[in-house]
Amino acid sequence: PKKVIASQQAANRDAIVRYLEDKEVPRNAIYGIVGNIDKETGGTFDYQQQQKNGPGYGLFQLDPGGGHQKEYSAFLERGGREDSMEAQLDYFLESIYDKNSPARESLGSGNADELTRIFSEGTTGEVTQAIMDKWEKPRDYIDKDKGPVEFYKYRKNLIERQTSASMADITDKIINRARTEPLEIVYTPR
């Protein structure tokens, strides 16, 4: 796996957030997307991140054996685009929002419609879970009905994503509050 220093991690994360804001993605959906990307990239937010001990690649750790990787390659070719943070995010959004996209067809229009609804109405936690369950469909999700060990892995994975998404939400609220309210520091000697 690629090592990324903390300042680069923050820059990568901020670039993703700004890009999604420019695309007018609802704020709660941005937090859910960022929470999933945090987990998928191991916190690097690097669009070139290779999966540790696996074949996954990028912000969403697309697996060469899965449908998303094939659809993403076709997406790049159709648009004459190169792989980038923007291209990966555009593919993700197109697969959900664009009713004429082959990627949406591959995802399933029912899943895409549900993601669209949750992005606009759901909480950050609901968005995070919906992305994992309906878009990424990781192995622990697929295996969750096989027994307690698999279900535990699924829940642990989900909780880690939701925690990351919630931290983004909390940080944003603190920053916005600091921008709008004067800070009063009170020192009380002992």
Side-chain angles (χ1 to χ4, degrees):
K2 194 171 166 181
K3 295 262 186 210
V4 178
I5 57 173
S7 61
Q8 186 60 51
Q9 289 172 323
N12 290 346
R13 183 194 61 233
D14 292 348
I16 291 167
V17 169
R18 281 191 309 277
Y19 192 76
L20 293 171
E21 286 173 339
D22 289 347
K23 295 287 181 177
E24 298 181 0
V25 174
R27 183 60 90 180
N28 60 318
I30 291 173
Y31 298 141
I33 294 165
V34 168
N36 278 284
I37 292 172
D38 184 9
K39 173 71 173 151
E40 292 295 328
T41 64
T44 67
F45 300 93
D46 182 359
Y47 80 92
Q48 295 178 315
Q49 184 66 46
Q50 285 293 144
Q51 181 181 8
K52 183 178 180 180
N53 301 320
Y57 171 80
L59 298 176
F60 300 99
Q61 291 299 291
L62 302 181
D63 187 324
H68 280 304
Q69 180 59 52
K70 292 173 194 151
E71 290 296 338
Y72 178 62
S73 294
F75 167 84
L76 292 176
E77 193 172 312
R78 265 192 324 274
R81 296 178 71 169
E82 296 289 321
D83 181 42
S84 65
M85 175 205 77
E86 295 85 352
Q88 289 180 25
L89 291 171
D90 285 344
Y91 166 76
F92 173 77
L93 296 173
E94 179 183 293
S95 73
I96 295 166
Y97 289 112
D98 184 349
K99 293 190 186 288
N100 298 316
S101 170
R104 180 182 166 99
E105 192 174 307
S106 175
L107 175 63
S109 62
N111 285 337
D113 289 343
E114 184 65 8
L115 284 165
T116 300
R117 185 192 66 74
I118 291 171
F119 279 18
S120 66
E121 300 171 8
T123 66
T124 298
E126 291 167 339
V127 168
T128 305
Q129 182 167 0
I131 292 169
M132 190 172 91
D133 291 352
K134 298 191 178 302
W135 199 88
E136 292 179 336
K137 302 176 192 168
R139 173 70 47 210
D140 51 7
Y141 169 75
I142 294 166
D143 293 342
K144 74 179 180 184
D145 294 329
K146 291 187 178 175
V149 173
E150 286 76 12
F151 184 73
Y152 168 77
K153 289 178 189 174
Y154 166 78
R155 291 298 302 163
K156 181 176 183 268
N157 192 345
L158 176 61
I159 289 166
E160 288 172 354
R161 291 163 192 260
Q162 288 177 331
T163 300
S164 176
S166 294
M167 289 307 297
D169 185 20
I170 290 167
T171 301
D172 188 59
K173 286 177 181 168
I174 290 169
I175 290 169
N176 284 335
R177 185 173 178 191
R179 288 180 181 148
T180 59
E181 296 179 17
L183 177 65
E184 182 179 333
I185 299 174
V186 178
Y187 171 73
T188 308
R190 294 184 187 213

